Amino acid sequence: MITESKKLIHAAVLFMLLVFPLSAAASGHVVVIDPGHGAANKGVTLSRNVHEKDVTLAVARLVKKSLSGVNNIRIRLTRLDDRDVSMANRKKIVERSNADLFISLHVNAGFGQNAEGYEIYYLGSTVPSAKKSNSGEILKDMEQTRRLNNSVRFAQIVQKNVGRVFPRKGRGLRNAPVLVLQSLTAPAVLLEAGFATNLKDRKKLKDEKIQKDIADALTKSIKEYFSTGGAS
Ligand SMILES: [Zn+2]
């Protein structure tokens, strides 16, 4: 016979079993992936029907899918389909998600037909002001340094893993004032996954298998970044 109080206890246990795994997942690391461009803002052209916006979305979706079963990592995309999102709104999504990491995806073009391979951009530190008079400013500096260190650490992990998809073609890490990375509080990188203006790269970027390889390299990098610390 089940008494009323036992029923209550059963209900409470069931409630806890249901809620706790969810809250554990909810407290995991949040990664915002930003598939560049969208809709009429097509980005660079890879063929008549394939543009930068298609490749960035395909790769971002694949990363989200691969990590959907990973308990402590949650992936949010700045767009889920073929729509354009303003730069300000992309940044808003990063801030509102309280992101631990931000990855913007693009495809390169230009510098002649021989330029090939990926590039990874991160935002270098702004020049620190000469005098730090209060603890708030010092704290802000420490936060910026930590953010930069983590951005570089993640960029290095991506370089190693994406380098396997585009062997010996890495154009390296670049510290540059990239607009979409500016004024974010999360560590952030921008991956230019190959050149649309290079014949070999263009072929690779349109290849669904290579898109999956790029996504796998990013998935691996995200897992590695959070398992090697310093990324609370
Ligand atoms: Zn782009």
Side-chain angles (χ1 to χ4, degrees), residues 217-232:
L218 284 172
T219 300
K220 197 169 178 232
S221 303
I222 292 166
K223 283 184 182 169
E224 198 176 325
Y225 175 75
F226 288 117
S227 65
T228 50
S232 59

Side-chain angles (χ1 to χ4, degrees), residues 92-171:
K92 252 182 220 164
I93 292 168
V94 184
E95 296 306 333
R96 284 183 187 162
S97 308
N98 209 3
D100 298 296
L101 187 62
F102 175 68
I103 308 163
S104 190
L105 298 177
H106 287 261
V107 171
N108 232 332
F111 304 103
Q113 290 178 4
N114 291 329
E116 59 181 356
Y118 66 86
E119 287 180 333
I120 304 164
Y121 289 85
Y122 63 91
L123 192 66
S125 60
T126 46
V127 182
S129 51
K131 271 186 195 167
K132 290 284 171 291
S133 52
N134 64 54
S135 57
E137 281 179 339
I138 293 166
L139 208 66
K140 210 176 154 195
D141 258 17
M142 282 167 68
E143 264 305 306
Q144 273 187 359
T145 306
R146 187 174 156 276
R147 178 186 172 278
L148 173 64
N149 288 344
N150 279 328
S151 299
V152 172
R153 191 169 68 81
F154 181 67
Q156 284 168 340
I157 295 171
V158 173
Q159 184 181 36
K160 180 185 73 182
N161 292 324
V162 173
R164 290 181 184 135
V165 185
F166 288 91
R168 294 189 305 278
K169 287 181 185 172
R171 289 164 59 88

Side-chain angles (χ1 to χ4, degrees), residues 44 46 52 106-110 115-119 162 166 169 171 191-198 201-202 204-205 214:
V44 299
L46 292 158
E52 181 179 0
H106 287 261
V107 171
N108 232 332
E116 59 181 356
Y118 66 86
E119 287 180 333
V162 173
F166 288 91
K169 287 181 185 172
R171 289 164 59 88
L191 174 67
E192 296 268 14
F195 279 79
T197 35
N198 177 270
D201 272 11
R202 190 159 67 235
K204 283 176 112 179
L205 290 164
I214 297 168

